[in-house]
Amino acid sequence: MRTCSKVWAVALTVLLSAAAPAQALNIFACEPEWASLAKELAPDANIYSATTAYQDPHYVQARPSLIAKLRRADLFVCSGSELEIGWLPALQMRANNNKVRDGRPGAFYAAEQVERLDVLDKVDRSMGDVHASGNPHVHWSPVNIGLIADALAKRLVVIDPANSEQYQQRFASFSQRWQAHSDKWATQVSTLKGMPVVAYHTSYRYLFDWLGIEQVGDLEPKPGLPPTSGHLASLVSLHKQQPYQLIIYASYQDGKAADWLSSKTGTEVMQLPYSTDPEKEELIDLFALYQTVINQLVASVANNG
């Protein structure tokens, strides 16, 4: 009788193990744009974004809650190119998770998957807060998004080979939809080419490069330094010599300097969303984010034409 009970116990354990669902991946995204991309490719994963679209991704506090999330992560997806240099290494050290150490499959830097703009040979402190390895705001190029999605899907296959077919199918679907939208956007943005603007930081460097917009001035006197009265006065003088059509700043940046410059030059100020926001329909994913920004810029040109 005891032998029979043992046999049934073993059989029940095997059946329960077979029936138990595979544990979902835990993905830690440094920025919401990468959380959005990860959701496209791994919708069943537990995805956590360390920041929101309204936080400066350069400056994040290494909070205990973030450490706990990274400690449980199978994969992190971050911009890289030193964007998170002030906080991600501290998180990695305190989380003590071997899966997401640099050089391991669980450490994924988006900027490493694409050709970066503004790579510098030499950097010194007099240049301000510059990124020697290139501009890290790579999600503002539709070509970059396609390349990063491809690389991320392949990384997911390495980390979770049991679901490789799903990741490949999800990437194929995303890639097809992304290309269709990119083709549509290309027909909408022709009026933006050559438009001169002043912007805050180089947050939209890749966007401007894609659209042919020319950033003729920066609200920052040097990268990472807040606007000064003297520098803003020089932008007023610049407008007299070379009128710019827009003053642009991101949703995580302070608009006071932009508003002041607008009051002195009569130039329109535009706050652009920087990243996705799952709480807002117009920013719910990368498709919506791009379309919203394009709509804003095209409408401005039409209104001022």
Side-chain angles (χ1 to χ4, degrees), residues 21-221:
Q23 186 175 359
L25 283 183
N26 292 314
I27 300 177
F28 180 100
C30 284
E31 293 85 26
E33 59 266 23
W34 306 129
S36 180
L37 183 60
K39 185 177 180 180
E40 293 282 353
L41 303 176
D44 298 326
N46 300 314
I47 302 170
Y48 177 79
S49 178
T51 59
T52 73
Y54 314 103
Q55 287 179 271
D56 187 338
H58 296 84
Y59 309 108
V60 176
Q61 185 180 0
R63 304 187 306 275
S65 59
L66 295 185
I67 296 169
K69 290 291 186 180
L70 191 61
R71 185 175 292 133
R72 294 192 292 269
D74 300 296
L75 167 72
F76 74 63
V77 185
C78 299
S79 293
S81 195
E82 302 173 356
L83 180 66
E84 305 94 355
I85 193 67
W87 56 278
L88 181 59
L91 282 185
Q92 289 174 289
M93 181 180 68
R94 296 174 188 174
N96 195 27
N97 179 352
N98 192 50
K99 293 181 181 179
V100 294
R101 295 188 189 279
D102 285 1
R104 302 285 295 176
F108 183 92
Y109 292 106
E112 293 181 358
Q113 318 307 320
V114 299
E115 184 176 349
R116 280 156 277 173
L117 300 175
D118 305 330
V119 177
L120 302 173
D121 293 328
K122 295 182 180 179
V123 173
D124 60 61
R125 297 178 68 89
S126 68
M127 300 168 69
D129 185 16
V130 297
H131 302 279
S133 57
N135 188 297
H137 307 285
V138 293
H139 70 289
W140 276 115
S141 160
V143 173
N144 284 353
I145 290 293
L147 294 172
I148 293 164
D150 186 13
L152 181 56
K154 290 174 180 174
R155 187 67 60 87
L156 287 165
V157 168
V158 171
I159 292 173
D160 184 21
N163 291 304
S164 61
E165 185 175 351
Q166 180 193 24
Y167 298 132
Q168 291 165 359
Q169 290 175 349
R170 294 291 301 186
F171 168 68
S173 172
F174 173 79
S175 181
Q176 184 179 28
R177 289 180 291 120
W178 188 254
Q179 187 59 56
H181 278 75
S182 296
D183 292 342
K184 180 186 70 173
W185 294 327
T187 66
Q188 297 176 337
V189 299
S190 59
T191 58
L192 302 175
K193 188 172 184 179
M195 180 171 66
V197 302
V198 164
Y200 200 138
H201 195 60
T202 54
S203 305
Y204 298 103
R205 176 71 171 89
Y206 293 89
L207 176 70
F208 296 163
D209 183 70
W210 169 47
L211 298 176
I213 291 174
E214 184 181 0
Q215 183 172 341
V216 298
D218 194 323
L219 289 167
E220 293 179 318

Side-chain angles (χ1 to χ4, degrees), residues 201-262:
H201 195 60
T202 54
S203 305
Y204 298 103
R205 176 71 171 89
Y206 293 89
L207 176 70
F208 296 163
D209 183 70
W210 169 47
L211 298 176
I213 291 174
E214 184 181 0
Q215 183 172 341
V216 298
D218 194 323
L219 289 167
E220 293 179 318
K222 290 182 181 179
L225 299 181
T228 63
S229 57
H231 179 66
L232 291 175
S234 73
L235 294 177
V236 174
S237 299
L238 174 64
H239 186 268
K240 295 175 182 177
Q241 303 166 9
Q242 185 181 3
Y244 37 86
Q245 293 179 235
L246 278 177
I247 303 168
I248 293 173
Y249 69 101
S251 52
Y252 68 85
Q253 294 163 338
D254 191 332
K256 291 180 181 177
D259 290 337
W260 183 90
L261 184 59
S262 175

Side-chain angles (χ1 to χ4, degrees), residues 263-275:
S263 71
K264 300 299 180 182
T265 61
T267 306
E268 179 185 355
V269 173
M270 179 174 290
Q271 183 195 67
L272 291 179
Y274 176 75
S275 189

